[in-house]
Each structure stands twice: as structure tokens, then as C-alpha cells.
Amino acid sequence: MKHYEANFDGLVGPTHNYAGLSYGNVASLNNAAAKSNPKAAAKQGLKKAKALADMGMVQGMLAPQERPDLHTLRRIGFSGTDAEVLNKAAKEAPELLRACCSASSMWTANAATVSPSADTHDGKIHFTPANLVDKLHRSIEPVTTGNILAATFNNTRYFQHHQHLPEHTSFGDEGAANHTRLCREYGHEGLELFVYGQQATNPTAPKPSKYPARQTLEASQAIARLHQLDEENSVFIQQNPDVIDQGVFHNDVIAVGNQNVLFYHQQAFVDTQTKLDEIRRKFNGNELHFIEVPTAKVSIEDAVKTYLFNTQIITLPNGEMAIIAPTNCQENPAVFDYLNEVVTLGTPIKQVHYFDVKQSMQNGGGPACLRLRVAMTESEVNAVNQHTLLNDALFERLNSWVDKHYRDELAVEDLADPQLIIESRTALDELTQIMKLGCVYQFQK
């Protein structure tokens, strides 16, 4: 039986904007209040996804969230017609309106944590939506995320969906952005690495002092239990608090893994050598490639600025690995030099491909942020909602859909435009028909 690692990329939503909502995310803060281009953002994401499909990868798309989120605005006391709710929120609490218009679900690395069937006791793929409690604009996502995942992976014989963790900072969970998986082959039992920023129940444990640690050890342990993972196929690693304070808000900004390769910065983790030894032991003597990028070659500042580690490492059909990097990496001499070097190091990584995803980068998310990885058997791929898998026809249809419904420019003040509600809902209603998702949004119920 064939085995794959599928990538499910988030479609950028119609309200893609730069409101600077993500404290601790340097790119998000630096570009706050700039004008965005939702149409260009969606097309950049689609182009990157289609390129991977053309390389022979299994590539899917996940629908965006409903925005503006009038349901949440009503929950917090704004009443009246849709236009009145929007108008009142814009006048009385513009920061709350901005949170309810965020298109941050485009970064599906934060959508959920996924454990493939090779790792779980019941032989199913397990999904737990991230609760994202650290940021208001993201904390309103999990229920709809769960709906979209259930409509995409919609066969209960193969897929097990869990409710998101309790909505409390003790269980702060940011999804696959703090999780990676090492394995010999995608269909073999693997080793799941959970990276956390702090222990919530231990006030004396190390944690960052400037920016929040969004993932807790307690959340990672809970997901391992839910997903029926054994101790021997789980490793819990603490992210270095000092790099969190330098803008490394998720592990996937400082490390990324694929099959038997772990690509990470010298300063990424706490107690690095001990954890590498644990990984070696639990990998049962199979060949591993640890690629440690020294600070002397790439600084933390350059790593964050270019998202060197927020790249995708994929295994091509010919068995070679390739790095999918943003063009920002090309434009930084130190990072570009390092990527030219990494393909010569004798590891499985032999290629680097660059893609323009600047609309996403300017809001704090690179290529790896845009995708959720799901290791799957051929039968499991066939059990997915086939209308969500990218091919030539769906690519053309989604591009036409974006052209029809998306704006070329969106400023933060445009979020108060009642017409944006109509445009967004019309677009999403049509999308659910294109992708055969059923009623996944609040406005459809």
C-alpha cells in the first residue's frame, strides 16, 4: 500500500488584513495598519499549493472562517441588524471588531494537531483542533475549524475528531505549529515531537519574560493522550524561552522536521543534547539527520525575518527531499548562502524551491504556516472529501472564485463596511458548494 504526507493549505479568506493583532509575532506587529490585498494573498497561497500538487504531492485545501464574525460580536453584547452590529462595534470597540475580522485561519498549521494511523492505538487518524486561547482573534476559530475538518475528513472509519482542549491558559494549544513527526517512511510508526513554551502548572519552571509562551506542556500531554500515543512514540521538548522573546512565537519559526530529518536552529530548544539523545533512542537505531543551523551562520533575527524554518520540507516522489521556502529567504544573503550550503551536506535535502507568499509573510506566516500535514495511506486519501483535493480543475475554479469575490485592497477601516459582510458570506456559501462541505458556518444555520 502506498503512503503519503498530504498537505492541506488554508484558503486565505476575503477579509485578509493587517491589523497587527498578534503580540509576539514581529512581522504582524511591524506591518500593522498597512493595506492588504486579499485577492493577491489568496492567489499566492493557491499558486504555492498547486506547485506542490504538480510536484506529485497530495495537496488539499481547507476553507477559511466566516468573517466578520458577527456571532461573536453578538455574544459580547452588540445587537441589531448585521449592519448595526458592525457599526456599533466599529464605533465603540474597534479593537474587538478587528479581532472578529481576522483571516488568521489561513495559517492551518495552527488549525489542529494530527496523529496518523500508524501511531495511534485504534489505527485511525486523530485530529484535535487547537484552542488558540492566547489570542482573542484566534480563540474564536476552534468550533468552525472542527466543522471544516469534519467535513473534509468525513469518513468515521478512518478519521477520529476530538473537541478542542479546555479554553484555559493551562491548556494553551497552538496546533501543529508546535508539533512535528519523525519516521522512516510515512506509513511506519513514527516519533511525534511536541514542543512547548512553558509548564502552566509549575510557576517556577522557565518561561519567556517578554512575549507569551502559547503552547503548554499540559496541552501537549493532553493531545498525546487523546490521540492514543505511547510514551515510546512521543517526545516533549521545551522551546528556548529566550528565542520566544526574540519573536519565535511558535516552534515552526525555529525548527521543522520531515521523515528522518530534523532541521533546527542552534538556539531552538532547552536541554538540546538530552532531547536529541532521547529522539535517537526512541528512533530505534534508524538513520537520523540532525541539521543544526549555527547562530554564527544565521542569526535569530534573520531566521525570524526570512522564516528560514517556517519552510516546508517535503519528500518528492523520487525520494529526494526539497525545501519550500519564501522568496524572503532569497533576499537575505546569510540565509540564501545557508540554503545553498544545506543541499551539499549529504542529507536527504537536495533541492530548494522559492515561492512568493509575501501577503502572508507580512502578516507573520510563511509557507509552513499555510499548511496542515497529514500522513496518510492510499485508502485514507481516498476516504477524504475528494472535492477538497487540489487538481487542475479545482485550482481553476478556486482562482475564478477568488477573482469573483475578493477585493484588491483592504484597509483596516474597511472592516466596518457592511458590504464586506455580504461579500464574504456570498463567497463562503458558494465555496461550501464547490467543496461539498455542507453547512459549516454559523450564518448557514
Side-chain angles (χ1 to χ4, degrees):
M1 182 182 291
K2 292 183 179 179
H3 299 88
Y4 309 90
E5 184 175 71
N7 291 283
F8 283 80
D9 282 35
L11 269 167
V12 179
T15 62
H16 166 65
N17 69 91
Y18 300 138
L21 297 171
S22 191
Y23 182 68
N25 181 328
V26 174
S28 173
L29 295 177
N30 286 347
N31 290 290
K35 289 183 178 179
S36 66
N37 186 326
K39 185 179 293 185
K43 284 178 169 284
Q44 286 174 0
L46 280 166
K47 185 176 180 180
K48 191 268 290 185
K50 182 59 164 57
L52 266 66
D54 290 343
M55 291 178 193
M57 307 299 292
V58 177
Q59 178 68 57
M61 303 303 299
L62 293 175
Q65 302 258 329
E66 175 191 350
R67 296 292 180 269
D69 184 354
L70 298 182
H71 174 69
T72 294
L73 290 174
R74 285 192 165 92
R75 282 183 66 196
I76 56 178
F78 295 102
S79 60
T81 65
D82 289 347
E84 288 169 344
V85 167
L86 202 64
N87 183 261
K88 290 175 183 176
K91 288 181 178 178
E92 299 172 26
E95 70 287 352
L96 297 181
L97 174 62
R98 291 195 293 271
C100 289
C101 290
S102 171
S104 55
S105 67
M106 62 195 276
W107 298 306
T108 53
N110 301 126
T113 304
V114 184
S115 293
S117 56
D119 297 353
T120 63
H121 285 180
D122 63 3
K124 294 183 178 183
I125 300 178
H126 285 242
F127 298 82
T128 298
N131 61 25
L132 300 164
V133 293
D134 187 69
K135 297 287 179 285
L136 171 62
H137 67 287
R138 302 225 61 178
S139 70
I140 60 180
E141 294 177 17
V143 172
T144 301
T145 296
N147 293 342
I148 292 168
L149 289 172
T152 303
F153 303 93
N154 58 352
N155 187 317
T156 56
R157 177 182 172 187
Y158 296 98
F159 309 122
Q160 178 66 49
H161 295 277
H162 301 280
Q163 184 180 4
H164 58 277
L165 297 180
E167 295 159 1
H168 187 272
T169 53
S170 295
F171 290 100
D173 174 28
E174 301 272 325
N178 293 311
H179 172 268
T180 195
R181 179 176 184 264
L182 303 177
C183 60
R184 287 169 294 160
E185 301 290 342
Y186 292 127
H188 294 176
E189 185 177 10
L191 186 58
E192 302 198 21
L193 312 184
F194 294 86
V195 182
Y196 63 93
Q198 67 171 337
Q199 297 181 50
T201 55
N202 183 355
T204 63
K207 64 180 181 179
S209 57
K210 181 180 179 182
Y211 291 136
R214 304 185 188 184
Q215 185 81 26
T216 68
L217 172 61
E218 292 81 356
S220 296
Q221 291 171 329
I223 290 169
R225 287 191 293 270
L226 286 169
H227 291 194
Q228 304 176 15
L229 304 180
D230 290 327
E231 182 181 346
E232 284 304 301
N233 63 0
S234 306
V235 176
F236 301 93
I237 308 173
Q238 182 164 11
Q239 190 173 351
N240 181 353
D242 291 338
V243 300
I244 294 176
D245 282 337
Q246 294 177 67
V248 181
F249 53 99
H250 290 140
N251 176 63
D252 68 0
V253 180
I254 204 69
V256 59
N258 178 58
Q259 288 188 324
N260 64 345
V261 170
L262 183 62
F263 181 49
Y264 63 97
H265 194 275
Q266 178 184 355
Q267 298 182 50
F269 308 121
V270 171
D271 201 9
T272 303
Q273 193 55 54
T274 298
K275 288 300 175 180
L276 295 183
D277 290 344
E278 181 182 352
I279 291 170
R280 283 193 187 94
R281 177 177 62 80
K282 291 183 175 180
F283 215 62
N284 296 322
N286 294 299
E287 185 180 29
L288 269 170
H289 299 272
F290 292 133
I291 305 175
E292 181 180 273
V293 181
T295 305
K297 291 190 175 181
V298 179
S299 67
I300 295 292
E301 181 182 3
D302 281 346
V304 173
K305 188 185 301 180
T306 64
Y307 276 9
L308 168 62
F309 297 96
N310 199 249
T311 50
Q312 297 175 242
I313 304 178
I314 61 172
T315 301
L316 299 167
N318 66 4
E320 291 185 357
M321 292 190 192
I323 290 178
I324 306 300
T327 51
N328 303 60
C329 288
Q330 274 182 308
E331 296 158 6
N332 181 292
V335 170
F336 185 57
D337 286 348
Y338 185 81
L339 285 172
N340 286 335
E341 178 186 337
V342 78
V343 297
T344 70
L345 297 179
T347 75
I349 298 175
K350 303 298 183 186
Q351 305 175 29
V352 181
H353 300 275
Y354 297 96
F355 292 90
D356 180 2
V357 288
K358 281 188 167 60
Q359 284 288 319
S360 177
M361 289 285 290
Q362 287 169 197
N363 220 6
C369 283
L370 288 164
R371 63 90 175 92
L372 184 68
R373 295 185 289 182
V374 188
M376 312 180 83
T377 67
E378 191 168 15
S379 297
E380 289 161 349
V381 172
N382 291 334
V384 171
N385 175 351
Q386 298 296 295
H387 301 281
T388 66
L389 296 178
L390 196 63
N391 52 30
D392 290 346
L394 182 59
F395 177 71
E396 293 300 329
R397 194 167 183 190
L398 290 177
N399 269 287
S400 297
W401 172 79
V402 169
D403 284 332
K404 178 180 176 182
H405 295 289
Y406 281 48
R407 298 187 182 189
D408 291 303
E409 186 176 277
L410 196 67
V412 172
E413 52 269 24
D414 295 331
L415 301 177
D417 179 5
Q419 184 61 30
L420 191 62
I421 303 171
I422 299 169
E423 293 172 12
S424 180
R425 286 180 173 175
T426 301
L428 294 180
D429 194 50
E430 184 177 320
L431 182 66
T432 58
Q433 297 171 53
I434 293 171
M435 300 176 76
K436 308 298 184 191
L437 298 175
C439 296
V440 294
Y441 299 114
Q442 189 72 28
F443 77 90
Q444 295 175 314
K445 298 181 179 183

